[in-house]
Amino acid sequence: MIEIHSLFRQRRSPYQFDTERSVRPADIEALFEAARWAMSSYNAQPWRYIVGVKEENPAMWQAIFEVLVEGNQPWARHAPVLALGVMETAFEHNGKPNKAAAHDLGAASAFLTLEATARGLVVHQMIGIEPEKAHADFKLTNTQEALTALAIGYAGSNPDLPAGYIERDEAPRQRKPLEEIVRR
């Protein structure tokens, strides 16, 4: 096995969250500070996050929860923090389409996820949202597009979840071999 930083192998996207543990405000702030430092095309930083902390602002948390597709709701309801990843689809400096916006939002979310892992938190990123509902509910501009959602918290146990989610959590993590993803 090739040696890499342990954070990459520790990172998981669980379906089960500890419902008894909230995320400290300082940790939440640090996650989004890490995202802020991600690389981006022309330094446009096209990512925006709408954040709902269940204990702090239950209405915002619920509004984000309601734009998740039905398949994500049974497990995401246990996460103490939900965030919606939004991208600016046009460059601010010239109004032209930013073809790197989705990539850059992904990079910012990856930075956020690694910071979370370093702090003992877990993040489950999901594409399963209703973008049109998010656009309307959060009054996004015509150059903003909701693309992803993130469930943030501490790994835990939610035995009331449908079995399929628990089985996925307990399955060993697997990745394709380098030869399959890198061409030399």
Side-chain angles (χ1 to χ4, degrees):
M1 186 176 295
I2 299 167
E3 270 308 305
I4 59 172
H5 197 285
S6 63
L7 286 177
F8 293 98
R9 287 204 172 93
Q10 290 170 13
R11 185 214 55 83
R12 292 191 67 90
S13 299
Y15 292 95
Q16 297 182 83
F17 288 86
D18 185 337
T19 58
E20 302 297 315
R21 290 183 76 183
S22 56
V23 180
R24 293 178 328 119
D27 287 333
I28 295 169
E29 184 116 355
L31 302 185
F32 292 98
E33 178 67 13
R36 191 170 79 91
W37 286 98
M39 68 294 277
S40 68
S41 178
Y42 291 99
N43 198 27
Q45 302 166 49
W47 50 83
R48 305 292 181 266
Y49 292 98
I50 299 168
V51 182
V53 180
K54 195 184 278 188
E55 284 184 351
E56 179 184 299
N57 188 342
M60 179 64 82
W61 185 95
Q62 186 65 36
I64 296 168
F65 180 79
E66 289 175 6
V67 302
L68 303 180
V69 297
E70 189 177 321
N72 285 329
Q73 291 183 350
W75 61 268
R77 70 185 172 94
H78 297 290
V81 181
L82 292 176
L84 195 60
V86 176
M87 62 182 180
E88 290 284 347
T89 60
F91 286 109
E92 290 175 355
H93 70 275
N94 63 12
K96 291 184 180 180
N98 182 348
K99 294 180 182 180
H103 172 275
D104 293 353
L105 172 61
S109 293
F111 275 39
L112 179 156
T113 299
L114 289 174
E115 182 65 31
T117 303
R119 291 171 178 269
L121 294 159
V122 293
V123 178
H124 189 122
Q125 296 185 44
M126 58 195 117
I127 195 104
I129 65 168
E130 296 180 37
E132 295 81 17
K133 180 172 177 35
H135 196 274
D137 290 359
F138 294 102
K139 297 174 179 46
L140 301 180
T141 69
N142 63 350
T143 62
Q144 293 177 324
E145 182 180 332
L147 186 65
T148 60
L150 301 92
I152 304 167
Y154 290 94
S157 177
N158 305 120
D160 63 332
L161 283 181
Y165 296 108
I166 295 171
E167 289 166 2
R168 284 187 237 171
D169 261 1
E170 294 172 352
R173 278 181 73 207
Q174 296 181 357
R175 291 292 183 254
K176 294 178 181 182
L178 278 179
E179 298 77 32
E180 225 178 290
I181 62 170
V182 177
R183 182 176 169 182
R184 293 181 185 195

